Amino acid sequence: MTARTVACTIERRLLVNYRIEPEIVARLLPWPFRPQLVAGQAVGGVCFIRLSGLRAGRLPRMPRLVCENAAHRFAVEWDDASGTHAGVYVPRRDTSSRITAAAGGKAFPGSYRLARFEVDEPAGQVRINVTSRDGQVQLAVTAAPADALISELFKTLDDAVGFFRRGALGFSPSAHAGCLDGVRLQSASWAAQPMRAEIRSSLFDDTALFPPGTSSLDSALVMRNVSARWDTDHPLTSAQTPADRTARR
């Protein structure tokens, strides 16, 4: 049975953001999503998050479980009978934890693929290399504290934080065909620090999906040591596209 709530501590959440031509992202999204635009651009990226003290539902907390995770994400909008909504579409999640990989889609929503994480965080910096066990994902990010947010998408750090806070509801492919699992992040704080980042990504560097000039690294910010939980949300019916299947490699 899937737990309705997973509580944890977010030890570090690094968001690395890309600005992308909207029509490129639209090809990668299943129905009912469309790209959410900021300054006329779609927003994609990777979330590098380390979690500890996980507790699914009423199960005991697992204080010794510390896991690294990486999630590819796109900011999206969709409509239903109650109006227009904003959130993120997460085509793929990777994790360092066999427990998380085994429990994903069972004890809590969303599937996870196993990956090797190499992490170094000296003096506030973040260096992470990720190689998935299935060979489909390779990531390498280096980020360091910045005096101010440098971005063409967001005018201020508060603008960026507000954008991601409004997009706390995420959907990812379900084990059930034609369905998307929903989960909402509830965070005790959304305070974030701007970062300067460099990244290599097997997804966003793939010129077959993102032709040259259609995708650019925009900005990065980090949250640290925050109590949080993920609440299971209602699933969505989905129509999957061929491009979506490619993005899930």
Side-chain angles (χ1 to χ4, degrees), residues 7-225:
C8 66
T9 296
I10 297 175
E11 294 190 0
R12 178 254 302 128
R13 185 182 188 221
L14 174 67
L15 292 168
V16 180
N17 311 306
Y18 288 79
R19 55 184 184 275
I20 311 168
E21 291 187 5
E23 60 270 22
I24 299 297
V25 173
R27 298 171 191 166
L28 303 176
L29 300 178
W31 183 90
F33 297 135
R34 61 180 179 271
Q36 184 181 13
L37 303 187
V38 178
Q41 295 288 296
V43 183
V46 185
C47 173
F48 299 88
I49 188 166
R50 182 170 63 237
L51 305 177
S52 64
L54 278 81
R55 183 179 67 232
R58 297 182 179 180
L59 295 176
R61 187 177 294 273
M62 296 178 283
R64 295 184 180 181
L65 176 60
V66 178
C67 61
E68 293 282 353
N69 307 276
H72 290 81
R73 41 191 279 144
F74 296 96
V76 296
E77 294 179 337
W78 67 98
D79 301 316
D80 62 19
S82 63
T84 299
H85 307 274
V88 293
Y89 173 61
V90 182
R92 174 160 177 147
R93 294 183 178 93
D94 290 89
T95 182
S96 65
S97 168
R98 292 183 180 276
I99 294 175
T100 301
K106 302 178 182 69
F108 47 85
S111 62
Y112 290 75
R113 313 285 184 90
L114 272 174
R116 178 183 178 187
F117 286 73
E118 299 175 351
V119 180
D120 186 26
E121 298 185 75
Q125 300 181 50
V126 180
R127 301 171 188 161
I128 303 174
N129 293 329
V130 183
T131 304
S132 66
R133 295 291 181 90
D134 62 10
Q136 297 301 313
V137 168
Q138 291 186 324
L139 294 162
V141 65
T142 300
D147 293 332
L149 185 71
I150 302 172
S151 170
E152 294 185 22
L153 292 172
F154 309 109
K155 293 182 180 179
T156 67
L157 178 61
D158 286 344
D159 289 341
V161 170
F163 176 81
F164 291 111
R165 184 170 188 169
R166 290 189 296 274
L169 176 58
F171 287 92
S172 58
S174 172
H176 304 288
C179 187
L180 296 168
D181 288 336
V183 63
R184 185 182 297 273
L185 173 61
Q186 305 282 0
S187 179
S189 170
W190 288 85
Q193 177 184 9
M195 303 286 279
R196 301 187 309 274
E198 297 179 356
I199 187 171
R200 297 194 307 274
S201 164
S202 56
L203 175 63
F204 291 106
D205 296 342
D206 185 345
T207 56
L209 293 176
F210 301 93
T214 63
S215 175
S216 301
L217 178 63
D218 182 80
S219 56
L221 60 160
V222 68
M223 299 166 57
R224 295 187 186 275
N225 300 319

